[in-house]
Amino acid sequence: MRAAIVKTLGTLEPGELPKPSPGPGEVLVAVKASGVNFADTLVVAGKYQEKPTIPFAPGLEAAGEVVECGPGVTRLKVGDRVLTTPAFGGFAEFAVAREAFSFVIPRSMGFDVAAGFPVTYGTAHAALVWHLKLRAGETLVVHGAGGGVGLAAVECGKAIGARVIATAGSDDKVALARKHGADEGINYATEDLRERLKALTDGKGPDVIYDPVGGQYAEPAFRSIAWRGRYLVVGFANGEIPRLPFNLALLKGASIVGVFWGEFA
């Protein structure tokens, strides 16, 4: 089967791989579309938490049609249109996925939309609902709000009833987040993040900070958090893992919560 293959870490190239077969509790999906995430770039570079054996096809999410069911599959059947999160392999004509991580999509949802849904919205929902139960009326800051997991968090936060402050590194990204429902926006490349957060929260600070970026903006954001606030560590798209002074958590009575959605799911 055709696939985008990693033969050397850091390089993705077209090629051929054997067509896989589903095992117990698994389905074989004819892939119609694949989502591309920041985590996929880490997988290709060999910097992800899990490291598949070379050569392999990356791809952490995909959408398509079930063409074969392994032993013990009871919920899905051949012909079902599904979105799924395979362990890897979404960048190929066929991908094996666990039935438990594959879901039938409505006819109104295209494969392209479905393929970009599970990782971003799964991460946002896990962070804001499962991990800390964001409440209506609270103030949520979303870093990197112009990216996939950021936009999903903006939408989830608004659906819950929170006031959402979107931060991003350009005016265009801030404007995009506003189109997705953000109430306020901060361009942290040109504005003082702490001062803007102070002004937008009347000095109280945000209740929840959702951070898939890391880097130099983590500490000023955490210094701005409200008493008993919650800081969600989602990822490090900036490339730099921040080192926060623990006394800040003590002084703020705040929680730092890690969000590794794949493992949690």
Side-chain angles (χ1 to χ4, degrees):
M1 67 173 180
R2 292 175 297 169
I5 303 171
V6 175
K7 295 181 180 178
T8 303
L9 291 179
T11 302
L12 193 62
E13 59 186 88
E16 296 281 334
L17 286 176
K19 181 180 176 181
S21 298
E26 295 179 333
V27 294
L28 182 66
V29 177
V31 176
K32 304 297 183 183
S34 301
V36 183
N37 297 276
F38 177 69
D40 292 303
T41 68
L42 298 178
V43 172
V44 172
K47 297 179 180 179
Y48 194 62
Q49 294 94 325
E50 301 172 36
K51 296 175 173 58
T53 302
I54 294 174
F56 69 92
L60 298 172
E61 61 180 351
E65 294 181 357
V66 175
V67 293
E68 186 179 346
C69 296
V73 170
T74 58
R75 182 170 49 82
L76 299 177
K77 64 182 184 302
V78 171
D80 280 345
R81 301 170 73 253
V82 297
L83 59 76
T84 186
T85 51
F88 297 101
F91 296 173
E93 286 188 279
F94 297 92
V96 165
R98 286 171 287 178
E99 181 186 32
F101 283 76
S102 305
F103 302 91
V104 174
I105 59 176
R107 287 286 167 185
S108 59
M109 179 181 263
F111 288 121
D112 56 344
V113 173
F117 187 87
V119 170
T120 54
Y121 287 92
T123 298
H125 186 271
L128 299 176
V129 178
W130 293 346
H131 278 291
L132 57 71
K133 294 179 173 57
L134 177 70
R135 296 182 291 271
E138 290 190 306
T139 297
L140 165 68
V141 168
V142 178
H143 278 338
V149 293
L151 287 174
V154 168
E155 293 183 354
C156 287
K158 289 305 297 179
I160 291 166
R163 178 183 182 230
V164 178
I165 300 173
T167 80
S170 73
D171 291 339
D172 287 345
K173 290 179 180 179
V174 170
L176 178 63
R178 284 181 174 275
K179 287 182 180 179
H180 283 252
D183 299 288
E184 305 286 352
I186 301 173
N187 179 346
Y188 45 56
T190 60
E191 300 178 84
D192 186 306
L193 182 61
R194 285 197 69 190
E195 289 301 316
R196 288 287 289 138
L197 287 176
K198 183 178 180 180
L200 290 173
T201 60
D202 295 324
K204 173 180 176 290
D207 301 292
V208 175
I209 297 174
Y210 174 99
D211 186 4
V213 178
Q216 70 268 36
Y217 302 112
E219 185 170 331
F222 196 81
R223 287 183 180 275
S224 304
I225 205 166
W227 171 250
R228 299 194 72 182
R230 293 99 82 203
Y231 195 102
L232 287 159
V233 180
V234 181
F236 312 104
N238 173 274
E240 176 189 344
I241 298 176
R243 289 168 172 79
L244 290 173
F246 271 16
N247 67 308
L248 295 178
L250 183 153
L251 293 172
K252 297 284 188 173
S255 303
I256 301 172
V257 183
V259 181
F260 182 8
W261 175 74
E263 186 67 22
F264 187 85

